[in-house]
Amino acid sequence: MEEEDGVSKLAAVTACTAMALLYVAILYAPTLILRLPPPPSAKTFMIRRFVCAAVSSILSLLVSGLILSIRSSEASILFGVYGIRADHIWQAVVFPLSLTSLMYAGSLVLKILLLVDSRRENANRGGEGISLQNFLASIVSVASNVLAWRSYVVAPLTEELVFRACMIPLLLCGGFKPYTVIRLCPIFFSLAHLNHLMEFYSKKNYSWIKTSLAVGLQLGYTVIFGSYASFLLIRTGHLLAPLVAHAFCNFMGLPVLFSRRNGIVSVAFLAGMVGFLWLLFPMTRPDLYNDRLNNCKCWHGYCSWD
């Protein structure tokens, strides 16, 4: 679908900018527009934000579908364009998750070392270690934690729907090349995190310098991750690929590069990064995630990278 089919580069960029701003602005709608009283608890506050993020995602999906001019009778095509698919699920989960975990090789090794030390100390004190009952209790505790739902479910799902599923087809159909889209999408993704600038400054009483450093680090990370997530969706055509990577990255946090207590952490990180770069293209080959490569309605060019 080229520009003459109704999607220009200007229209695609404008729509993406509007969706990014909507994703942030709607979070403040309950108090600024609906004039609702302040939430009585942190849980109520997060639930409000969950609803706002869901509304923003649905609106973005509808607007994107209208701009792409896909009729309601072609709903299955539209879901495919968004990467919302029921096929090749295990490939879209296992391969991207394995690939992403290589970036966290240092972090995983450090966690294992800390776990071994903890079990050793517990054994020296005559403890029983981690029982199945305690393990299950911890899982239930995490599952009932509203912050866990935000970080591992709501944020990955809504952000991937808006910033990847909706924006990437628009930009590709607008005539942008895949590599340009990979560089462009993170800019919109970063716009949705600029609200943290005022939140850090006003709510946490940070100085402007400390706020700028904290938000700058976060924006730098979102740009890198946004590029990677965009790469995954363009290469695989499956929304689950960046979705599971997003949830995993939120769970792990920033990768651990080194540890003063053990040099093996740095070795693991370097080995993981080498493995990640070596397997980046082979583990995201489009034919691993698609039965056919000639049925991409809008994603012209993504199948010709190899």
Side-chain angles (χ1 to χ4, degrees), residues 21-57:
L21 295 177
L22 174 65
Y23 188 87
V24 178
I26 201 170
L27 297 178
Y28 303 94
T31 53
L32 296 180
I33 298 177
L34 300 179
R35 301 294 182 180
L36 295 178
S41 64
K43 183 176 181 179
T44 304
F45 173 76
M46 295 308 304
I47 291 176
R48 282 188 185 180
R49 290 212 156 185
F50 292 171
V51 174
C52 291
V55 171
S56 173
S57 302

Side-chain angles (χ1 to χ4, degrees), residues 33-266:
I33 298 177
L34 300 179
R35 301 294 182 180
L36 295 178
S41 64
K43 183 176 181 179
T44 304
F45 173 76
M46 295 308 304
I47 291 176
R48 282 188 185 180
R49 290 212 156 185
F50 292 171
V51 174
C52 291
V55 171
S56 173
S57 302
I58 294 172
L59 289 176
S60 295
L61 289 169
L62 293 175
V63 169
S64 180
L66 290 174
I67 295 175
L68 291 173
S69 301
I70 297 179
R71 298 183 297 273
S72 59
S73 59
E74 299 175 304
S76 60
I77 295 177
L78 182 58
F79 282 121
V81 169
Y82 287 151
I84 302 173
R85 296 161 44 188
D87 60 288
H88 294 81
I89 290 179
W90 77 264
Q91 294 94 330
V93 172
V94 174
F95 292 150
L97 188 58
S98 301
L99 183 64
T100 306
S101 66
L102 290 175
M103 292 190 291
Y104 289 92
S107 303
L108 294 172
V109 167
L110 181 59
K111 288 181 181 294
I112 292 174
L113 292 175
L114 293 175
L115 180 61
V116 170
D117 289 345
S118 176
R119 290 178 64 90
R120 185 177 300 154
E121 292 177 3
N122 196 29
N124 292 336
R125 292 195 303 265
E128 299 179 356
I130 300 176
S131 66
L132 178 61
Q133 183 178 0
N134 291 337
F135 178 70
L136 293 176
S138 65
I139 293 178
V140 172
S141 176
V142 170
S144 61
N145 190 327
V146 68
L147 293 179
W149 275 92
R150 180 196 66 178
S151 299
Y152 311 140
V153 179
V154 178
L157 179 59
T158 58
E159 289 179 1
E160 293 308 316
L161 281 172
V162 174
F163 296 97
R164 252 66 71 179
C166 292
M167 293 188 182
I168 287 178
L170 283 175
L171 294 171
L172 289 175
C173 293
F176 290 98
K177 298 299 181 182
Y179 282 115
T180 303
V181 173
I182 290 174
R183 293 192 297 267
L184 192 57
C185 263
I187 297 176
F188 302 117
F189 191 44
S190 298
L191 286 177
H193 293 80
L194 285 178
N195 61 312
H196 297 306
L197 186 66
M198 291 307 300
E199 290 184 356
F200 272 111
Y201 182 72
S202 61
K203 295 183 179 180
K204 297 191 176 183
N205 296 319
Y206 283 8
S207 66
W208 272 112
I209 295 178
K210 190 174 182 179
T211 297
S212 300
L213 290 175
V215 175
L217 177 63
Q218 185 180 38
L219 290 181
Y221 181 69
T222 58
V223 167
I224 294 173
F225 174 77
S227 299
Y228 175 57
S230 300
F231 174 88
L232 285 177
L233 184 56
I234 292 176
R235 286 283 289 176
T236 67
H238 211 304
L239 187 62
L240 268 180
L243 181 59
V244 296
H246 195 151
F248 181 74
C249 288
N250 281 0
F251 175 75
M252 295 297 296
L254 291 174
V256 175
L257 308 183
F258 67 93
S259 173
R260 294 179 180 178
R261 57 181 295 171
N262 202 318
I264 195 175
V265 173
S266 298

